[in-house]
Amino acid sequence: MKKNIKKLQIFRLTIQLLLLFLSPALFILAFSELKSIYEMIIKGNFNFLQAFPSLIEFLTVIIITVLGGRFFCGWICAFGTYNELLHLLAKKVFKIDFKVDEKLDAVLKYLKYVVLLLLVVLIWTLGSEILNTTSPWDAYAQLAYFPEVLADYTIGFILLLLITIGAFFVERFFCKYLCPLGAVFNIFSRISIFKISKPSDKCGKCRLYTSDCAMALPLYKVESVCGGECINCLKCIEACPRNNVQVNVLGENVNPELASAVAIAAMVGLYAVSNVGGTILTQSGIATGNSASISTSINGTSEKYADGTYTGTAIGFKRGTTEISVTIKNDEIINIETVSHQDTPRFYQAVEGTIISEIISAQSTSVDTISGATYSCEGIINAVKDALNQAKV
């Protein structure tokens, strides 16, 4: 049994490291898309089919979270992996494993709801731009270019440093106490079909599964855990010497390796299908906002535009040039493509589809940038503006 459980944790770590490098901006994209949904709802212009191509990351994650719990947090989120690896280093190398008092921990976990509320009120509703250069997520996304962006993200890097120190001493520090997206997933995951089952009548007094829990859940007090603070890391299964802690789906105990593999495969599959669906909607015109033309919506002007394909350029991340082609027909933007760019490929590719879809959907360049890739987004937006200026009649 120990051998199988070891394989499970190795599998999880492999997935975490892989996505840490392949998709570091997924957390930022999902949260940015949640913001977009909120803003469209309060403005009264939410159209699911029209907005779908620019909401794929969040919709994928939230569907899996509702059905299977917080696998995104425990297995996929790059910022969660960053926190976990820091504490693993502290625990294995420096023998640091600080435990917060159980009652204090329970109170501190409400802080993430305060953070979420402040973001919703100050940033999403009132439109404050305070996070444009102070966001620790933006700073995290630019870590590879620290010397070049330090001046732009000084406060963001200070906040990131404080989070890093917290994660060094307390496992999953940010996830437990500060993550606003975690606050949202905490609520939605409580109805999932995935549970951690632990019959108390078969338990001893060791509480090893509790002391090994990444989120410091008092597992010894309950018979099962369904979503909420649980991030489905399955470390409690590894810790139990009696094999009493089990994965339970729809009332039946299942193999934890199989359950986790199915959950990750389902998330990847749903993401792929959603991308295909988004592309079809965009190409068919359903998601291009045909009810408004750019003559009335682009930057609030009444300009007319000549049909054709125009190429615009602008400055993106690291002062590199972004070149974009924009195709216009009947005063509408029908296609936007990247000709070339000098940004960091993985960050540019992570935001390219979202920003382009939003511009086409809104028929306007007045769209929000994505936290963590602000310069890349601005490069795309300004290049589109340049192309549109050339198309003016």
Side-chain angles (χ1 to χ4, degrees), residues 142-348:
Q142 311 297 346
L143 270 179
Y145 310 99
F146 176 77
E148 300 161 28
V149 299
L150 177 59
D152 293 326
Y153 292 102
T154 302
I155 298 178
F157 276 113
I158 292 174
L159 293 175
L160 180 62
L161 177 61
L162 294 176
I163 291 172
T164 300
I165 294 172
F168 198 77
F169 286 93
V170 179
E171 188 171 9
R172 290 271 180 167
F173 174 80
F174 178 79
C175 310
K176 288 178 184 174
Y177 308 132
L178 299 174
C179 180
L181 193 57
V184 175
F185 291 158
N186 186 313
I187 298 171
F188 282 97
S189 64
R190 293 178 183 273
I191 60 174
S192 75
I193 61 174
F194 187 99
K195 296 181 180 180
I196 301 296
S197 174
K198 181 206 63 71
S200 298
D201 58 341
K202 297 180 181 179
C203 274
K205 298 180 180 181
C206 67
R207 296 187 181 180
L208 289 176
Y209 45 75
T210 293
S211 62
D212 208 50
C213 177
M215 298 296 285
L217 298 178
L219 299 176
Y220 66 94
K221 293 181 177 180
V222 297
E223 294 285 320
S224 65
V225 176
C226 178
E229 295 289 346
C230 178
I231 58 173
N232 291 355
C233 67
L234 308 183
K235 290 175 65 178
C236 53
I237 295 177
E238 177 182 17
C240 181
R242 297 188 177 189
N243 300 332
N244 187 38
V245 184
Q246 299 288 333
V247 169
N248 188 284
V249 177
L250 295 175
E252 296 292 333
N253 290 340
V254 298
N255 182 286
E257 290 93 338
L258 177 62
S260 55
V262 168
I264 300 304
M267 186 172 294
V268 173
L270 181 59
Y271 184 61
V273 171
S274 298
N275 270 291
V276 172
T279 301
I280 293 173
L281 288 173
T282 300
Q283 292 177 347
S284 66
I286 296 176
T288 58
N290 289 332
S291 61
S293 66
I294 54 175
S295 61
T296 59
S297 66
I298 201 74
N299 299 328
T301 69
S302 57
E303 299 284 353
K304 293 291 185 178
Y305 299 85
D307 289 356
T309 299
Y310 303 86
T311 301
T313 59
I315 302 300
F317 182 55
K318 296 180 69 178
R319 303 299 176 186
T321 300
T322 298
E323 188 174 3
I324 298 288
S325 72
V326 179
T327 301
I328 298 172
K329 185 176 181 180
N330 298 328
D331 276 329
E332 290 184 358
I333 301 173
I334 63 171
N335 189 46
I336 298 174
E337 293 182 355
T338 298
V339 177
S340 65
H341 70 88
Q342 296 174 319
D343 279 33
T344 306
R346 63 182 184 182
F347 285 111
Y348 186 87

Side-chain angles (χ1 to χ4, degrees), residues 57-100:
E57 285 77 16
F58 177 75
L59 293 176
T60 299
V61 174
I62 198 66
I63 290 171
I64 295 299
T65 300
V66 169
L67 292 176
R70 294 175 60 181
F71 272 98
F72 174 80
C73 302
W75 292 68
I76 293 174
C77 177
F79 206 56
T81 300
Y82 172 75
N83 273 250
E84 187 168 325
L85 292 179
L86 279 172
H87 186 71
L88 184 64
L89 174 68
K91 185 176 180 179
K92 298 299 183 181
V93 177
F94 300 100
K95 307 303 178 184
I96 296 173
D97 190 19
F98 183 76
K99 299 293 185 184
V100 179

Side-chain angles (χ1 to χ4, degrees), residues 10-28:
I10 291 174
F11 175 52
R12 187 174 75 93
L13 181 60
T14 301
I15 295 294
Q16 286 179 293
L17 293 176
L18 189 64
L19 292 173
L20 178 64
F21 292 102
L22 293 181
S23 187
L26 192 55
F27 164 85
I28 298 165

Side-chain angles (χ1 to χ4, degrees), residues 7-62:
K7 287 182 180 179
L8 174 62
Q9 291 304 312
I10 291 174
F11 175 52
R12 187 174 75 93
L13 181 60
T14 301
I15 295 294
Q16 286 179 293
L17 293 176
L18 189 64
L19 292 173
L20 178 64
F21 292 102
L22 293 181
S23 187
L26 192 55
F27 164 85
I28 298 165
L29 283 170
F31 193 64
S32 178
E33 291 168 8
L34 174 61
K35 173 187 175 183
S36 297
I37 292 174
Y38 173 82
E39 290 180 338
M40 285 187 285
I41 290 175
I42 64 172
K43 291 176 182 177
N45 62 354
F46 182 69
N47 182 310
F48 179 77
L49 289 179
Q50 182 176 313
F52 180 78
S54 61
L55 303 175
I56 290 172
E57 285 77 16
F58 177 75
L59 293 176
T60 299
V61 174
I62 198 66

